[in-house]
Amino acid sequence: MKLRYQYRIYPTDPQKRLMSQLFGCCRVVFNDALAYCQEQYRSSNKKPSGNELSKRLTELKKTEEKEWLTEVSSVPLQQSLRDLEQAYSNFFKSCKGQRKGQNVKPPKFKKRKSKQSARFTDNGFKLSPNSDYIHLAKIGDIKVIWSRELPAVPSSVTLIKDSADRYFVSFVVEFNPQQLPQNGQSVGIDLGITDFATLSNGEKVKSPKPLKKQLKRLRRLQRNLSRKQKGSKRREVARKKLARLHAKISDTRNDFLHKLSTRIIRENQTIVLEDLNVSGMMKNRKLSRAISDLGWRSFRTMLEATSVMYGRDFRVIDRWIPTSQICSCCGFRGGKKELNIREWICLNCGTSHNRDVNAAVNIKVAGGLSETLNGRGEKVRLSVKRAHLAEASTHPAFQQLSIFDLLK
């Protein structure tokens, strides 16, 4: 399998100028090719092929207007055209229903203030063994902070500059991970806002909530940016300060999610998670900021990727299974409960439940990993197929209880 390894680099001032020139050329080539494709579409012609765009770039370099494109390496320029081809391919497959996930929009023009990147293939860079530098074509040797070793020789490297003016190199390598030994452990995970994750063993994991902690400072920097005149140097300084704060918030969240997902994968053989409609929950204006600060979708993606790497079993249950309504001890379904009810007592067996822990146990059971007892003392397996469980009042295994009987 292919993995991406990213490292921080610290170029010198002359190298930064060369990188800015390279990023600008890649952006111009991409935008010019995209504009040409849109022009052909408006003229009712077919989209130009990759070879046609490559020949057009060669002719463009010979003109006086774009002669400066020859001052940078030709490898990243050709990669920009391939990126455009891939973006159009994803868009067409999405329109035909041949691509899973959300619909992909057509490619957009690249902006100078957003994230910049340039990709080199194996003939555009050179790595020396036991060296702290990487050599890029027409840029030179750049110092790299090797936070970890590369498992293999990379096939390509991407030079990245983010909005906070930080520079990175990202390598693509072939990686053969070693399978972790099977330990027979399984866990169900219930995601929430107060506690980021509640495990079926009773453990609760708090989220750092970096956006909530930095919200006051973030508002101040946003107000400061809005007061600056567009195009001024002070506005650019304010923009970089705001971008650095956003980068810090994102790095804090990703660090927490990576460490938690790796720990869960190492400690458990089977992991069961609930399929949450995150995009639908984000439409709630009272909870959207808190949900976006947690990163539920990123956490699920990390669990899926890490489980494939180390040979773990990752399962996702249906979102319509009423995990918060079912008693994890006897299987009694007590009905829908408001969000402010965090503790409740089962009317059938009298067990006191914590809402999140009970839901985590039911998620684990719904994954087909454990068994529970019903009201008659018989073992019942709750699985995804039983998502249509009947209400307790109509189930023959339970005795109908009245609120007046409880008050006697």
Side-chain angles (χ1 to χ4, degrees), residues 222-329:
Q222 287 174 338
R223 287 195 301 267
N224 190 27
L225 176 64
S226 64
R227 292 168 182 157
K228 299 295 185 291
Q229 183 178 359
K230 291 186 178 181
S232 64
K233 292 183 178 179
R234 290 188 177 183
R235 183 179 178 86
E236 181 64 17
V237 172
R239 185 197 66 80
K240 290 182 180 179
K241 287 183 180 181
L242 181 60
R244 280 193 288 267
L245 181 59
H246 276 295
K248 181 179 180 180
I249 294 173
S250 178
D251 291 345
T252 304
R253 182 185 301 113
N254 290 333
D255 179 71
F256 164 74
L257 296 177
H258 274 295
K259 290 180 179 179
L260 178 60
S261 60
T262 303
R263 179 173 71 87
I264 292 176
I265 290 294
R266 290 185 181 276
E267 294 178 355
N268 300 277
Q269 178 65 32
T270 306
I271 300 93
V272 186
L273 196 67
E274 189 177 10
D275 183 22
L276 296 177
N277 183 17
V278 181
S279 59
M281 290 191 230
M282 289 291 294
K283 297 178 182 180
N284 187 336
R285 62 183 182 88
K286 295 183 179 180
L287 299 176
S288 58
R289 181 190 295 160
I291 293 174
S292 62
D293 193 16
L294 296 172
W296 286 341
R297 182 63 200 183
S298 299
F299 180 65
R300 173 178 169 176
T301 303
M302 293 176 186
L303 283 176
E304 289 178 345
T306 313
S307 62
V308 172
M309 285 178 55
Y310 296 109
R312 298 306 199 193
D313 184 14
F314 179 76
R315 305 179 186 180
V316 179
I317 67 170
D318 189 5
R319 70 181 60 168
W320 301 112
I321 295 180
T323 56
S324 298
Q325 304 178 21
I326 300 174
C327 174
S328 59
C329 294

Side-chain angles (χ1 to χ4, degrees), residues 122-164:
D122 53 359
N123 58 344
F125 71 97
K126 183 179 180 182
L127 278 176
S128 301
N130 301 326
S131 175
D132 294 337
Y133 294 87
I134 177 176
H135 180 81
L136 298 179
K138 292 191 177 183
I139 294 180
D141 297 332
I142 306 174
K143 186 176 181 180
V144 184
I145 304 300
W146 298 105
S147 56
R148 52 180 175 170
E149 295 183 359
L150 284 172
V153 178
S155 59
S156 66
V157 59
T158 304
L159 184 63
I160 301 172
K161 176 188 175 184
D162 63 4
S163 301

Side-chain angles (χ1 to χ4, degrees), residues 17-40:
R17 287 191 289 270
L18 293 175
M19 289 180 185
S20 298
Q21 184 180 7
L22 175 62
F23 292 142
C25 292
C26 292
R27 187 175 61 252
V28 167
V29 169
F30 183 91
N31 292 343
D32 182 77
L34 178 58
Y36 179 69
C37 292
Q38 292 179 353
E39 180 183 353
Q40 294 297 315

Side-chain angles (χ1 to χ4, degrees), residues 188-204:
I189 306 175
D190 177 63
L191 300 180
I193 296 179
T194 304
D195 299 309
F196 174 79
T198 302
L199 308 185
S200 56
N201 56 11
E203 179 185 357
K204 294 188 177 183

